[in-house]
């Protein structure tokens, strides 16, 4: 499956290959995206916030109440915002496009 990571300014698109069951957070980190994931995917922070392309948003299962609460703490949240640690790629998807929010900072320097 093709996953497209769009930079915050929209000037850069990085297409990577993922497979069913991959978690978006780790796929992005392995491919140089500024997704810090301070809590290491334990859903205790919002440093892996992404904005899902509206055409892909309905593919995803609904966010849990806990995820919604954490998104309230993230900057630049939109209607299609999600935490990448809560997105596992599904075999029924051909592609997924997400944008990195403008405020994204990877303090781990990946």
């Amino acid at each position: 499956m093709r996953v497209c990571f769009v930079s915050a300014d929209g000037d850069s698109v990085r297409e990577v290959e993922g497979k069913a069951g991959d978690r978006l957070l780790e796929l992005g980190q392995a491919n140089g995206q500024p997704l810090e994931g301070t809590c290491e995917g334990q859903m205790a922070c919002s440093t892996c916030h992404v904005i899902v392309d509206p055409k892909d948003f309905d593919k995803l299962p609904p966010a849990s109440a806990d995820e919604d609460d954490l998104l309230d703490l993230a900057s630049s949240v939109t209607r299609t915002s999600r935490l990448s640690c809560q997105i596992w790629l599904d075999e029924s998807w051909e592609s997924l496009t997400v944008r990195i929010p403008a405020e994204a900072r990877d303090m781990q320097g990946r």
Side-chain angles (χ1 to χ4, degrees):
M1 130 183 321
R2 180 177 51 88
V3 178
C4 296
F5 291 95
V6 180
S7 64
D9 61 12
D11 288 344
S12 173
V13 176
R14 171 97 188 228
E15 288 190 19
V16 301
E17 285 297 316
K19 60 184 184 308
D22 285 349
R23 185 164 34 177
L24 187 62
L25 172 61
E26 281 112 13
L27 184 65
Q29 289 174 333
N31 286 281
Q33 298 305 305
L35 297 172
E36 187 171 340
T38 301
C39 70
E40 298 179 354
Q42 299 302 306
M43 203 169 59
C45 70
S46 60
T47 61
C48 67
H49 168 221
V50 294
I51 301 168
V52 179
D53 189 287
K55 70 178 174 46
D56 291 333
F57 188 73
D58 289 336
K59 295 177 185 178
L60 305 177
S64 68
D66 288 340
E67 182 179 356
D68 278 338
D69 288 345
L70 285 171
L71 285 168
D72 288 341
L73 304 174
S75 298
S76 302
V77 173
T78 71
R79 185 187 67 74
T80 62
S81 288
R82 293 295 300 268
L83 298 179
S84 62
C85 70
Q86 297 302 298
I87 299 174
W88 282 267
L89 304 185
D90 187 282
E91 63 188 12
S92 67
W93 306 344
E94 291 180 25
S95 64
L96 179 68
T97 300
V98 298
R99 183 169 52 88
I100 304 299
E103 291 77 15
R105 300 286 183 269
D106 185 354
M107 301 306 283
Q108 295 180 15
R110 273 190 277 278

